[in-house]
Amino acid sequence: MALIVHKYGGTSMGSTERIRNVAKRVAKWARAGHQMVVVPSAMSGETNRLLGLAKELAPAKPEEAYSRELDMLAATGEQASSALLAIALQAEGVESVSYAGWQVPIRTNSAYTKARIESIDDKKVRANLASGKVVIVTGFQGMDDLGNITTLGRGGSDTSAVAVAAAMKASECLIYTDVDGVYTTDPRVVPEARRLKTVSFEEMLEMASMGSKVLQIRSVEFAGKYKVPLRVLSSFTPWDIDINEEAASGTLITFEEDEHMEQAIVSGIAFNRDEAKISVLGVPDKPGIAYQILGAVADANIEVDVIIQNISKDGKTDFSFTVHRGEFAKTVDLLRNKVLPSLGAQEVVGDAKICKVSIVGIGMRSHVGVAARMFRVLSEEGINIQMISTSEIKTSVVIDEKYMELAVRALHRAFDLDQQPT
Ligand code: ADP
Ligand code: ASP
Ligand code: MG
């Protein structure tokens, strides 16, 4: 008998019919003798609907009082889906109980809308499991030290599930979603994308952080830190398929590189439309300038991603970086009003119509010329590269948003990702 955590995403919980299917699947696992903890997302569209209502009443504000209410509001989506799943399980003849994050409790810090899990008290959950119940724990949420409800950022139910699995030392955490695993790139953009049977933890981490939304990045970080066996698989297979077949399906995240396996140089391509580029032009080229610009941005709690500084000409240089698109206007305002006057720079210009495309693969460690090949492919398509950033196992470029799909498809082809590995 094993303790297993299942997570079901929004589409998988999208209607009462789908919830009934989830209940039948979970019941199958419970009847096979497993202790089951299930972490559902809100029904698809519900989180957007709730946040949309808030925006109708008052446009998004960075104030804490507003963010607190967003979390209070958004957390109801998962509370509803969890209760519905418990009711569906009871209707299947399986004893079941659901808990909101604060009831477990899942403790987080107080960073509303992007809180981090600090600890999970599993006493209540264990007692219920011991009495033969399936326990449902809301995804996406927790409670801070003062008892306020917090949420973990969009896509955060993945992180809830992996954190619960880590805290309870579960045998496996299965992330059920609307695709049947992790693909070489988003199969909705490139139909030739191929499912990976396994993907290394490090590659998954880069893919998630570069924009593959199939797993929230923090869930991958948790899995790595606590070595949680993690699998991504489809909730759209018939619920009554053989349990062993189901348990071996999808994509397994692996922690050890298989020495015997020939590694693909590039395993996947990620892309992200959520960023915007800001350039400060005519910056005096002297010590302390990067700090003056980026220090002010960091003090405003704005995260910066790709950064480049050009060589200087006549003692002046240009300094560019990317931020989340939602923080674009705020950053430009900040630089124009607070930083430019004391910096002696000439101008701040911005471009929100950019995207970042990244190739990811452990094989890049041991092969030279991979980035050059990427640049050649893009040049053959006539795509201009605006910024570049690299790490040991990834190369990212910032390009015009309108070329995103073209770039992803061309790279997918050029690195043979649509071919079955031999
Ligand atoms: P859920 O609601 O189950 O959490 P998400 O929409 O958050 O589902 O994540 C699943 C989606 O991630 C897929 O429908 C797919 O479009 C997208 N996706 C992006 N990159 C990849 C990838 N490399 N492999 C699989 N799916 C991906
Ligand atoms: N419901 C939340 C969201 O839409 C969390 C999740 O689905 O993982 O972002
Ligand atoms: Mg998700």
Side-chain angles (χ1 to χ4, degrees):
M1 186 166 79
L3 196 165
I4 309 272
V5 175
H6 279 192
K7 180 258 170 178
Y8 291 90
T11 316
S12 313
M13 296 291 292
S15 63
T16 47
E17 195 190 334
R18 291 211 171 133
I19 293 175
R20 200 190 301 282
N21 259 296
V22 168
K24 286 182 190 293
R25 192 182 297 275
V26 172
K28 174 180 77 180
W29 281 74
R31 290 191 176 114
H34 298 302
Q35 290 193 319
M36 298 301 300
V37 179
V38 186
V39 178
S41 289
M43 294 170 78
S44 58
E46 180 62 4
T47 311
N48 286 343
R49 187 186 74 85
L50 292 166
L51 297 176
L53 292 176
K55 263 201 185 152
E56 270 179 40
L57 293 169
K61 289 192 208 104
E63 280 128 52
E64 193 174 280
Y66 183 85
S67 306
R68 180 191 182 279
E69 301 313 323
L70 288 184
D71 282 4
M72 184 76 183
L73 174 70
T76 62
E78 271 69 10
Q79 190 173 327
S81 62
S82 294
L84 290 171
L85 181 56
I87 289 167
L89 274 160
Q90 290 164 9
E92 293 298 319
V94 175
E95 276 194 80
S96 174
V97 58
S98 71
Y99 293 114
W102 64 269
Q103 290 176 304
V104 174
I106 295 179
R107 291 194 178 274
T108 71
N109 63 14
S110 302
Y112 298 118
T113 74
K114 49 183 174 192
R116 283 179 182 265
I117 295 178
E118 288 177 343
S119 66
I120 296 178
D121 180 350
D122 65 357
K123 262 196 245 67
K124 213 184 280 178
V125 178
R126 284 208 187 274
N128 288 140
L129 290 175
S131 71
K133 288 191 176 119
V134 167
V135 182
I136 298 160
V137 175
T138 50
F140 185 48
Q141 59 185 270
M143 173 184 87
D144 74 1
D145 279 349
L146 298 172
N148 297 300
I149 290 175
T150 54
T151 67
L152 309 179
R154 299 308 303 267
S157 299
D158 297 330
T159 302
S160 307
V162 178
V164 166
M168 301 195 70
K169 302 199 168 46
S171 305
E172 196 161 9
C173 181
L174 302 178
I175 306 282
Y176 287 87
T177 184
D178 56 4
V179 281
D180 64 354
V182 178
Y183 277 67
T184 48
T185 192
D186 189 339
R188 290 183 208 285
V189 171
V190 181
E192 296 78 27
R194 231 177 1 91
R195 179 171 60 84
L196 301 164
K197 284 203 182 78
T198 62
V199 62
S200 75
F201 152 72
E202 287 162 290
E203 287 170 321
M204 196 60 242
L205 197 61
E206 285 283 14
M207 280 173 71
S209 76
M210 293 302 119
S212 296
K213 295 197 169 100
V214 61
L215 286 177
Q216 197 200 37
I217 177 152
R218 286 199 197 143
S219 71
V220 188
E221 286 168 359
F222 258 104
K225 189 162 170 196
Y226 298 101
K227 298 286 175 293
V228 179
L230 186 62
R231 186 180 286 277
V232 176
L233 67 171
S234 173
S235 69
F236 290 167
T237 54
W239 68 266
D240 56 354
I241 62 167
D242 178 70
I243 194 166
N244 294 317
E245 187 188 325
E246 184 176 322
S249 66
T251 301
L252 180 69
I253 318 300
T254 59
F255 295 101
E256 267 152 45
E257 280 175 53
D258 186 345
E259 301 281 331
H260 307 292
M261 230 166 64
E262 181 62 33
Q263 291 284 354
I265 298 173
V266 171
S267 302
I269 300 175
F271 49 85
N272 177 353
R273 256 184 280 236
D274 297 341
E275 291 185 23
K277 187 176 81 166
I278 293 170
S279 301
V280 189
L281 307 179
V283 185
D285 195 11
K286 59 180 194 209
I289 287 299
Y291 174 63
Q292 248 181 292
I293 298 173
L294 296 182
V297 174
D299 288 346
N301 221 351
I302 298 166
E303 248 178 77
V304 167
D305 184 24
V306 186
I307 304 169
I308 54 166
Q309 182 179 342
N310 284 337
I311 52 158
S312 63
K313 210 175 146 215
D314 307 327
K316 301 251 179 198
T317 183
D318 300 337
F319 192 91
S320 302
F321 58 94
T322 64
V323 295
H324 194 275
R325 221 176 257 194
E327 301 193 298
F328 176 56
K330 187 174 148 193
T331 316
V332 171
D333 276 357
L334 173 84
L335 291 172
R336 284 209 177 119
N337 300 326
K338 301 248 166 71
V339 180
L340 220 55
S342 63
L343 197 66
Q346 285 154 355
E347 208 184 342
V348 176
V349 293
D351 183 0
K353 293 206 158 80
I354 54 142
C355 70
K356 189 171 69 177
V357 175
S358 310
I359 56 173
V360 174
I362 278 192
M364 287 167 76
R365 269 189 197 139
S366 48
H367 288 80
V368 292
V370 182
R373 208 159 125 201
M374 178 187 202
F375 305 151
R376 192 183 71 211
V377 172
L378 296 174
S379 85
E380 280 166 3
E381 299 293 339
I383 299 171
N384 185 42
I385 299 170
Q386 303 177 18
M387 302 169 103
I388 299 170
S389 103
T390 63
S391 78
E392 211 186 4
I393 65 164
K394 73 120 214 276
T395 302
S396 303
V397 295
V398 171
I399 60 173
D400 190 323
E401 181 188 59
K402 69 173 180 264
Y403 298 125
M404 189 187 83
E405 294 191 5
L406 175 66
V408 174
R409 291 209 181 98
L411 291 166
H412 197 266
R413 226 177 304 115
F415 285 101
D416 293 333
L417 291 178
D418 34 12
Q419 310 292 320
Q420 285 299 332
T422 46

